[in-house]
Coordinates of all heavy atoms in Angstrom, one line a residue:
M783 N 94.7 83.3 65.4 CA 95.4 83.0 66.6 C 95.8 81.5 66.6 O 95.0 80.7 66.2 CB 94.4 83.3 67.8 CG 95.2 83.6 69.1 SD 94.1 83.9 70.5 CE 92.9 85.1 69.8
D784 N 97.0 81.2 67.1 CA 97.4 79.8 67.1 C 96.8 79.0 68.3 O 96.3 79.6 69.3 CB 98.9 79.7 67.1 CG 99.5 80.3 68.3 OD1 99.3 79.8 69.4 OD2 100.2 81.3 68.2
Y785 N 96.9 77.7 68.2 CA 96.3 76.9 69.3 C 96.9 77.2 70.7 O 96.2 77.1 71.7 CB 96.4 75.4 68.9 CG 95.4 75.0 67.9 CD1 95.9 74.5 66.6 CD2 94.1 75.0 68.1 CE1 95.0 74.1 65.7 CE2 93.2 74.6 67.2 CZ 93.6 74.2 65.9 OH 92.7 73.8 65.0
G786 N 98.2 77.4 70.7 CA 98.8 77.7 72.0 C 98.2 78.9 72.6 O 97.8 78.9 73.8
M787 N 97.9 80.0 71.9 CA 97.4 81.2 72.4 C 95.9 81.0 72.8 O 95.4 81.5 73.8 CB 97.5 82.4 71.4 CG 97.1 83.7 72.0 SD 98.0 84.1 73.6 CE 99.5 84.8 72.9
I788 N 95.2 80.2 72.0 CA 93.8 80.0 72.3 C 93.6 79.2 73.6 O 92.8 79.6 74.5 CB 93.1 79.1 71.2 CG1 93.0 80.0 69.9 CG2 91.8 78.6 71.6 CD1 92.6 79.2 68.7
G789 N 94.5 78.3 73.9 CA 94.5 77.6 75.2 C 94.8 78.6 76.3 O 94.2 78.5 77.4
K790 N 95.8 79.5 76.1 CA 96.1 80.5 77.1 C 94.9 81.4 77.4 O 94.7 81.8 78.5 CB 97.3 81.3 76.7 CG 98.6 80.5 76.6 CD 99.0 79.9 78.0 CE 100.3 79.1 77.9 NZ 100.5 78.3 79.0
L791 N 94.2 81.8 76.3 CA 93.1 82.7 76.5 C 91.9 82.0 77.3 O 91.3 82.6 78.2 CB 92.5 83.0 75.1 CG 91.5 84.2 75.0 CD1 92.1 85.4 75.7 CD2 91.2 84.5 73.5
E792 N 91.7 80.7 77.0 CA 90.7 80.0 77.8 C 91.1 79.9 79.3 O 90.3 80.1 80.2 CB 90.5 78.5 77.3 CG 89.8 78.5 76.0 CD 89.7 77.2 75.3 OE1 90.3 76.2 75.9 OE2 89.1 77.1 74.3
K793 N 92.4 79.7 79.5 CA 92.9 79.6 80.9 C 92.8 81.0 81.6 O 92.4 81.1 82.7 CB 94.4 79.2 80.9 CG 94.9 78.6 82.2 CD 96.2 78.0 82.0 CE 96.6 77.2 83.3 NZ 97.9 76.5 83.1
A794 N 93.1 82.0 80.8 CA 92.9 83.4 81.4 C 91.5 83.7 81.7 O 91.2 84.3 82.8 CB 93.4 84.4 80.3
R795 N 90.5 83.2 80.9 CA 89.1 83.5 81.2 C 88.7 82.8 82.5 O 88.0 83.3 83.4 CB 88.2 82.9 80.1 CG 88.2 83.9 78.9 CD 86.9 83.7 78.1 NE 87.0 84.6 76.9 CZ 87.4 84.2 75.7 NH1 87.8 82.9 75.5 NH2 87.5 85.0 74.7
R796 N 89.2 81.6 82.7 CA 88.9 80.8 84.0 C 89.6 81.5 85.1 O 89.0 81.8 86.2 CB 89.4 79.4 83.8 CG 89.2 78.6 85.1 CD 89.4 77.1 84.9 NE 90.7 76.7 84.4 CZ 91.8 76.5 85.1 NH1 91.7 76.7 86.4 NH2 92.9 76.1 84.6
Y797 N 90.9 81.9 85.0 CA 91.6 82.6 86.1 C 90.8 83.8 86.5 O 90.8 84.2 87.7 CB 93.0 83.0 85.6 CG 94.0 81.9 85.7 CD1 95.2 81.9 85.0 CD2 93.8 80.8 86.5 CE1 96.2 81.0 85.0 CE2 94.8 79.8 86.6 CZ 96.0 79.9 85.8 OH 96.9 78.9 85.9
S798 N 90.3 84.6 85.5 CA 89.7 85.9 85.8 C 88.4 85.7 86.6 O 88.0 86.7 87.2 CB 89.4 86.6 84.5 OG 88.3 86.0 83.8
T799 N 87.9 84.5 86.7 CA 86.7 84.3 87.5 C 87.1 83.8 88.9 O 86.2 83.6 89.8 CB 85.7 83.3 86.9 OG1 86.3 82.0 86.8 CG2 85.3 83.8 85.5
E800 N 88.4 83.5 89.1 CA 88.8 82.9 90.4 C 89.7 84.0 91.1 O 90.9 83.9 91.2 CB 89.6 81.6 90.1 CG 88.8 80.6 89.4 CD 89.5 79.4 88.9 OE1 90.8 79.4 88.9 OE2 88.8 78.5 88.4
R801 N 88.9 85.0 91.6 CA 89.6 86.1 92.2 C 90.5 85.8 93.3 O 91.5 86.5 93.6 CB 88.5 87.0 92.8 CG 87.5 87.6 91.8 CD 86.3 88.2 92.4 NE 86.6 89.3 93.3 CZ 86.7 90.6 92.9 NH1 86.4 90.9 91.7 NH2 86.9 91.5 93.8
E802 N 90.2 84.7 94.1 CA 91.1 84.3 95.2 C 92.5 84.0 94.8 O 93.4 83.9 95.7 CB 90.4 83.2 96.1 CG 90.4 81.9 95.3 CD 89.2 81.8 94.3 OE1 88.4 82.7 94.2 OE2 89.1 80.7 93.7
R803 N 92.7 83.7 93.6 CA 94.1 83.4 93.1 C 94.9 84.6 93.1 O 96.2 84.5 93.0 CB 94.0 82.9 91.7 CG 93.5 81.5 91.5 CD 93.5 81.1 90.1 NE 93.0 79.7 89.8 CZ 93.8 78.6 89.9 NH1 95.1 78.7 90.1 NH2 93.3 77.4 89.6
F804 N 94.3 85.8 93.1 CA 95.0 87.1 92.9 C 95.2 87.8 94.2 O 94.2 88.0 95.0 CB 94.3 88.0 91.9 CG 94.3 87.4 90.5 CD1 93.3 86.5 90.2 CD2 95.3 87.6 89.6 CE1 93.2 85.9 88.9 CE2 95.2 87.1 88.3 CZ 94.2 86.2 88.0
K805 N 96.4 88.2 94.6 CA 96.6 89.1 95.7 C 97.4 90.3 95.3 O 98.5 90.2 94.8 CB 97.5 88.3 96.8 CG 96.7 87.2 97.5 CD 95.7 87.8 98.5 CE 94.9 86.7 99.2 NZ 93.9 86.0 98.4
F806 N 96.8 91.5 95.5 CA 97.4 92.7 95.2 C 98.5 93.0 96.2 O 98.1 93.0 97.4 CB 96.4 93.9 95.1 CG 95.6 93.9 93.8 CD1 94.6 93.1 93.6 CD2 96.0 94.8 92.8 CE1 93.8 93.1 92.4 CE2 95.3 94.8 91.6 CZ 94.2 94.0 91.4
N807 N 99.7 93.2 95.9 CA 100.7 93.6 96.8 C 100.8 95.1 97.0 O 100.9 95.6 98.1 CB 102.1 93.1 96.3 CG 102.1 91.6 96.2 OD1 101.7 90.9 97.1 ND2 102.6 91.1 95.1
S808 N 100.6 95.8 95.9 CA 100.6 97.3 96.0 C 99.9 97.8 94.7 O 99.9 97.2 93.7 CB 102.0 97.9 96.1 OG 102.7 97.6 94.9
L809 N 99.3 99.0 94.9 CA 98.7 99.7 93.7 C 98.5 101.1 94.0 O 98.5 101.5 95.2 CB 97.4 99.0 93.4 CG 96.3 98.9 94.5 CD1 95.4 100.1 94.5 CD2 95.5 97.7 94.2
T810 N 98.4 101.9 93.0 CA 98.0 103.3 93.1 C 96.9 103.6 92.2 O 96.9 103.2 91.0 CB 99.2 104.2 92.7 OG1 100.4 103.9 93.5 CG2 98.9 105.7 92.8
V811 N 95.8 104.2 92.7 CA 94.6 104.5 92.0 C 94.2 105.9 92.1 O 94.3 106.5 93.1 CB 93.5 103.6 92.5 CG1 92.2 103.8 91.8 CG2 93.8 102.1 92.4
T812 N 93.8 106.5 91.0 CA 93.2 107.8 91.0 C 91.7 107.6 91.0 O 91.2 106.9 90.1 CB 93.6 108.7 89.8 OG1 95.0 108.8 89.8 CG2 93.0 110.1 89.9
M813 N 91.0 108.2 91.9 CA 89.6 108.0 92.0 C 88.8 109.4 91.9 O 89.2 110.3 92.6 CB 89.3 107.3 93.4 CG 87.8 106.9 93.6 SD 87.0 108.1 94.6 CE 85.4 107.4 94.7
D814 N 87.8 109.4 91.1 CA 87.0 110.7 91.0 C 86.1 110.8 92.1 O 85.0 110.1 92.1 CB 86.3 110.7 89.6 CG 87.1 111.1 88.5 OD1 88.0 112.0 88.7 OD2 86.9 110.6 87.4
G815 N 86.4 111.5 93.1 CA 85.5 111.8 94.2 C 84.4 112.7 93.8 O 84.4 113.2 92.7
D816 N 83.4 112.9 94.7 CA 82.3 113.8 94.4 C 82.8 115.2 94.2 O 82.2 116.0 93.4 CB 81.3 113.8 95.5 CG 80.4 112.5 95.5 OD1 80.4 111.8 94.4 OD2 79.8 112.2 96.4
N817 N 83.9 115.6 95.0 CA 84.4 117.0 94.9 C 85.7 117.1 94.2 O 85.9 117.9 93.3 CB 84.6 117.5 96.3 CG 83.3 117.5 97.1 OD1 82.2 118.0 96.6 ND2 83.3 116.9 98.3
N818 N 86.6 116.2 94.5 CA 88.0 116.2 93.9 C 88.4 114.8 93.6 O 87.9 113.9 94.1 CB 89.0 116.8 94.9 CG 88.6 118.2 95.4 OD1 88.5 119.1 94.6 ND2 88.4 118.3 96.7
P819 N 89.4 114.7 92.7 CA 90.0 113.4 92.5 C 90.9 113.1 93.7 O 91.4 114.0 94.3 CB 90.8 113.6 91.2 CG 91.1 115.0 91.1 CD 89.9 115.7 91.7
H820 N 91.0 111.8 94.0 CA 91.9 111.4 95.1 C 92.9 110.4 94.6 O 92.5 109.5 93.8 CB 91.1 110.9 96.3 CG 90.3 112.0 96.9 ND1 90.8 113.0 97.7 CD2 88.9 112.3 96.9 CE1 89.9 113.8 98.1 NE2 88.7 113.4 97.6
I821 N 94.1 110.4 95.2 CA 95.1 109.4 94.9 C 95.0 108.4 96.1 O 95.3 108.8 97.3 CB 96.5 110.0 94.8 CG1 96.5 111.1 93.8 CG2 97.5 108.9 94.5 CD1 96.4 110.7 92.4
I822 N 94.8 107.2 95.8 CA 94.7 106.1 96.8 C 95.9 105.2 96.6 O 96.1 104.7 95.5 CB 93.4 105.4 96.8 CG1 92.2 106.3 96.8 CG2 93.3 104.3 97.9 CD1 90.9 105.7 96.2
R823 N 96.6 104.8 97.7 CA 97.7 103.9 97.5 C 97.5 102.7 98.5 O 96.9 102.9 99.6 CB 99.0 104.6 97.9 CG 99.4 105.6 96.8 CD 100.8 106.1 97.0 NE 101.2 106.9 95.9 CZ 101.0 108.2 95.8 NH1 100.4 108.8 96.7 NH2 101.4 108.8 94.7
Y824 N 97.9 101.6 98.1 CA 97.9 100.4 98.9 C 99.2 99.7 98.8 O 99.7 99.5 97.7 CB 96.8 99.4 98.4 CG 96.7 98.1 99.1 CD1 96.1 98.0 100.4 CD2 97.3 97.0 98.6 CE1 96.0 96.8 101.1 CE2 97.3 95.8 99.3 CZ 96.7 95.7 100.5 OH 96.7 94.5 101.2
D825 N 99.8 99.3 99.9 CA 101.1 98.7 99.9 C 101.2 97.7 101.0 O 101.2 98.0 102.2 CB 102.2 99.7 100.0 CG 103.6 99.1 99.8 OD1 103.7 98.1 99.0 OD2 104.5 99.5 100.5
N826 N 101.1 96.4 100.7 CA 101.2 95.3 101.7 C 100.4 95.5 102.9 O 100.9 95.5 104.1 CB 102.7 95.1 102.0 CG 103.5 94.5 100.8 OD1 103.1 93.5 100.3 ND2 104.5 95.2 100.4
G827 N 99.1 95.7 102.8 CA 98.2 95.9 103.9 C 98.0 97.3 104.4 O 97.1 97.5 105.2
N828 N 98.8 98.2 103.9 CA 98.7 99.6 104.4 C 98.0 100.5 103.3 O 98.5 100.5 102.2 CB 100.1 100.2 104.7 CG 100.7 99.4 105.9 OD1 100.1 99.2 106.9 ND2 101.9 98.9 105.6
W829 N 97.0 101.2 103.7 CA 96.3 102.1 102.8 C 96.8 103.5 103.0 O 97.2 103.9 104.1 CB 94.8 102.1 103.1 CG 94.1 100.8 102.7 CD1 93.8 99.7 103.4 CD2 93.7 100.5 101.4 NE1 93.2 98.8 102.7 CE2 93.1 99.2 101.4 CE3 93.7 101.2 100.2 CZ2 92.5 98.6 100.3 CZ3 93.1 100.6 99.0 CH2 92.6 99.3 99.1
N830 N 96.6 104.3 102.0 CA 96.9 105.7 102.1 C 96.0 106.5 101.1 O 95.7 106.0 100.1 CB 98.4 106.1 101.8 CG 98.8 107.4 102.4 OD1 98.5 108.4 101.9 ND2 99.4 107.3 103.5
C831 N 95.5 107.6 101.6 CA 94.7 108.5 100.7 C 95.0 109.9 101.0 O 95.4 110.2 102.1 CB 93.2 108.2 100.9 SG 92.1 109.2 99.8
D832 N 94.9 110.7 100.0 CA 95.3 112.1 100.2 C 94.2 113.0 100.7 O 94.3 114.2 100.8 CB 95.9 112.7 98.9 CG 94.9 112.8 97.7 OD1 93.7 112.4 98.0 OD2 95.2 113.2 96.6
C833 N 93.0 112.4 101.1 CA 91.9 113.3 101.5 C 92.1 113.6 103.0 O 92.9 112.9 103.8 CB 90.6 112.6 101.3 SG 90.2 111.2 102.4
D834 N 91.4 114.7 103.5 CA 91.6 115.1 104.9 C 91.0 114.1 105.9 O 91.6 113.9 107.0 CB 90.8 116.4 105.1 CG 91.5 117.6 104.3 OD1 92.7 117.4 104.0 OD2 90.8 118.6 104.0
F835 N 89.9 113.4 105.5 CA 89.3 112.4 106.4 C 90.3 111.3 106.7 O 90.4 110.9 107.9 CB 88.0 111.9 105.8 CG 87.2 111.1 106.8 CD1 86.2 111.8 107.5 CD2 87.4 109.7 106.9 CE1 85.4 111.1 108.4 CE2 86.6 109.0 107.8 CZ 85.6 109.7 108.6
F836 N 91.0 110.9 105.7 CA 91.9 109.8 105.9 C 93.0 110.2 106.9 O 93.5 109.4 107.7 CB 92.6 109.3 104.6 CG 93.4 108.1 104.7 CD1 92.9 106.8 104.6 CD2 94.8 108.2 105.1 CE1 93.7 105.7 104.8 CE2 95.6 107.1 105.3 CZ 95.0 105.8 105.1
L837 N 93.5 111.4 106.8 CA 94.6 111.9 107.6 C 94.2 111.7 109.1 O 95.1 111.4 109.9 CB 94.9 113.4 107.4 CG 95.7 113.7 106.1 CD1 95.9 115.2 106.0 CD2 97.1 113.0 106.2
T838 N 93.0 112.0 109.5 CA 92.6 111.9 110.9 C 92.1 110.5 111.3 O 92.2 110.1 112.5 CB 91.5 112.9 111.2 OG1 90.4 112.7 110.4 CG2 92.1 114.3 111.0
R839 N 91.5 109.8 110.4 CA 90.9 108.5 110.7 C 91.6 107.3 110.2 O 91.3 106.2 110.6 CB 89.4 108.5 110.2 CG 88.6 109.7 110.7 CD 88.3 109.6 112.2 NE 87.6 108.4 112.5 CZ 86.2 108.4 112.5 NH1 85.5 109.4 112.2 NH2 85.6 107.3 112.8
G840 N 92.5 107.4 109.3 CA 93.2 106.3 108.7 C 92.4 105.4 107.8 O 92.8 104.2 107.5
R841 N 91.2 105.8 107.5 CA 90.3 105.1 106.6 C 89.4 106.1 106.0 O 89.0 107.1 106.7 CB 89.6 104.0 107.4 CG 89.5 102.7 106.7 CD 88.9 101.7 107.7 NE 88.6 100.5 106.9 CZ 87.8 99.5 107.3 NH1 87.1 99.6 108.4 NH2 87.6 98.4 106.6
C842 N 88.9 105.9 104.8 CA 87.9 106.9 104.3 C 87.1 106.2 103.3 O 87.3 105.0 102.9 CB 88.7 108.1 103.7 SG 89.8 107.6 102.3
S843 N 86.1 107.0 102.7 CA 85.2 106.3 101.8 C 85.9 105.8 100.5 O 85.5 104.9 99.9 CB 84.1 107.4 101.4 OG 84.7 108.5 100.8
H844 N 87.0 106.5 100.2 CA 87.8 106.1 99.0 C 88.5 104.8 99.2 O 88.4 103.9 98.4 CB 88.8 107.2 98.6 CG 88.1 108.6 98.7 ND1 88.6 109.5 99.6 CD2 87.1 109.1 98.1 CE1 87.8 110.6 99.5 NE2 86.9 110.4 98.6
T845 N 89.2 104.6 100.3 CA 89.9 103.4 100.6 C 88.9 102.2 100.8 O 89.1 101.1 100.4 CB 90.9 103.5 101.8 OG1 90.1 103.8 103.0 CG2 91.9 104.6 101.6
M846 N 87.8 102.6 101.5 CA 86.8 101.5 101.8 C 86.1 101.0 100.5 O 85.8 99.9 100.4 CB 85.8 102.0 102.8 CG 86.4 102.1 104.2 SD 85.2 102.3 105.5 CE 84.8 104.1 105.3
A847 N 85.9 102.0 99.6 CA 85.3 101.6 98.3 C 86.3 100.6 97.6 O 85.8 99.6 97.0 CB 85.0 102.8 97.4
L848 N 87.5 100.9 97.6 CA 88.5 100.0 96.9 C 88.6 98.7 97.6 O 88.8 97.7 97.0 CB 89.9 100.7 96.9 CG 90.3 101.3 95.6 CD1 91.8 101.8 95.7 CD2 90.2 100.3 94.4
E849 N 88.5 98.7 99.0 CA 88.5 97.4 99.7 C 87.3 96.6 99.2 O 87.5 95.4 99.1 CB 88.3 97.7 101.2 CG 89.6 98.2 101.9 CD 89.4 98.3 103.4 OE1 89.1 97.3 104.1 OE2 89.4 99.5 103.9
M850 N 86.2 97.2 99.0 CA 85.0 96.4 98.5 C 85.3 95.9 97.1 O 84.9 94.7 96.8 CB 83.8 97.3 98.5 CG 83.3 97.7 99.9 SD 82.0 99.0 99.8 CE 82.0 99.5 101.6
I851 N 85.8 96.7 96.2 CA 86.1 96.3 94.9 C 87.1 95.1 94.8 O 86.9 94.2 94.1 CB 86.7 97.5 94.0 CG1 85.6 98.5 93.8 CG2 87.2 97.0 92.7 CD1 86.1 99.8 93.3
L852 N 88.1 95.2 95.7 CA 89.2 94.2 95.7 C 89.0 93.1 96.7 O 89.9 92.4 97.0 CB 90.5 94.9 96.0 CG 90.9 96.0 95.0 CD1 92.2 96.7 95.4 CD2 91.1 95.4 93.6
E853 N 87.8 93.0 97.2 CA 87.5 92.0 98.2 C 88.0 90.6 97.8 O 87.8 90.1 96.7 CB 86.0 91.9 98.5 CG 85.6 91.0 99.6 CD 84.1 90.9 99.8 OE1 83.3 91.5 99.1 OE2 83.7 90.1 100.7
G854 N 88.8 90.0 98.7 CA 89.3 88.7 98.5 C 90.7 88.7 97.8 O 91.4 87.7 97.7
M855 N 91.1 89.9 97.4 CA 92.4 90.0 96.6 C 93.4 90.9 97.4 O 94.4 91.2 96.9 CB 92.1 90.6 95.2 CG 91.2 89.7 94.4 SD 91.1 90.2 92.7 CE 90.2 91.7 92.8
I856 N 93.0 91.4 98.6 CA 93.9 92.2 99.4 C 93.8 91.7 100.9 O 92.8 91.0 101.2 CB 93.5 93.7 99.4 CG1 92.0 93.8 99.7 CG2 93.9 94.3 98.1 CD1 91.6 95.3 100.0
E857 N 94.8 92.0 101.7 CA 94.7 91.7 103.1 C 93.6 92.6 103.7 O 93.5 93.8 103.4 CB 96.0 92.1 103.8 CG 97.2 91.3 103.3 CD 97.1 89.8 103.6 OE1 96.6 89.5 104.7 OE2 97.6 89.0 102.8
V858 N 92.7 92.0 104.5 CA 91.6 92.7 105.1 C 92.1 93.5 106.3 O 92.8 93.0 107.2 CB 90.5 91.8 105.5 CG1 89.4 92.6 106.2 CG2 89.9 91.0 104.3
Q859 N 91.8 94.8 106.3 CA 92.2 95.7 107.4 C 91.2 95.5 108.5 O 90.0 95.5 108.3 CB 92.2 97.1 106.9 CG 92.8 98.1 107.8 CD 92.9 99.5 107.2 OE1 92.0 99.9 106.4 NE2 93.8 100.3 107.7
Q860 N 91.6 95.4 109.8 CA 90.8 95.3 110.9 C 90.0 96.6 111.2 O 90.5 97.6 111.0 CB 91.5 94.8 112.1 CG 92.2 93.5 112.0 CD 91.2 92.4 111.6 OE1 90.2 92.2 112.3 NE2 91.5 91.6 110.6
E861 N 88.8 96.4 111.7 CA 88.0 97.6 112.1 C 88.7 98.3 113.2 O 89.2 97.7 114.1 CB 86.6 97.2 112.6 CG 85.7 96.6 111.5 CD 85.3 97.6 110.5 OE1 85.2 98.8 110.8 OE2 85.0 97.2 109.3
A862 N 88.8 99.7 113.1 CA 89.5 100.5 114.1 C 88.6 100.6 115.4 O 87.4 100.5 115.2 CB 89.8 101.8 113.6
Ligands
ZN411 ZN1 90.1 109.4 101.0

């Protein structure tokens, strides 16, 4: 590896520990639920999940788990 790339790799390692630098704008995730896989989407502060609970409550264990994983890297949704 050349020196230029070694420098970038060191910078990448530092960046990767500084989560607050990263803001997810949108993402789509497949999550293995206890019963079925679920598709979770996030787009500029808005969550979506294909499970029945989300349809009625606008939040579910799947989206909340992702909120925990991505803490500090997404807009925080207010408690309903
Ligand atoms: Zn869900």
Side-chain angles (χ1 to χ4, degrees):
M783 207 181 308
D784 63 65
Y785 283 116
M787 188 55 85
I788 289 169
K790 293 298 182 195
L791 192 55
E792 286 173 358
K793 202 168 189 179
R795 284 207 182 93
R796 177 165 59 82
Y797 280 159
S798 72
T799 66
E800 297 169 357
R801 297 166 61 91
E802 67 281 359
R803 286 181 180 272
F804 297 86
K805 287 286 179 289
F806 281 80
N807 300 312
S808 65
L809 56 88
T810 302
V811 176
T812 301
M813 186 260 181
D814 278 328
D816 285 342
N817 303 309
N818 304 300
H820 292 288
I821 306 288
I822 307 158
R823 292 191 171 85
Y824 175 83
D825 186 36
N826 291 307
N828 298 309
W829 288 97
N830 201 281
C831 182
D832 63 2
C833 73
D834 291 338
F835 192 90
F836 186 92
L837 280 178
T838 56
R839 304 291 296 275
R841 222 173 173 199
C842 62
S843 59
H844 316 117
T845 63
M846 288 191 283
L848 257 186
E849 284 183 67
M850 292 171 191
I851 292 169
L852 300 175
E853 186 182 359
M855 299 189 289
I856 53 169
E857 299 291 327
V858 177
Q859 193 177 25
Q860 296 304 309
E861 294 290 334

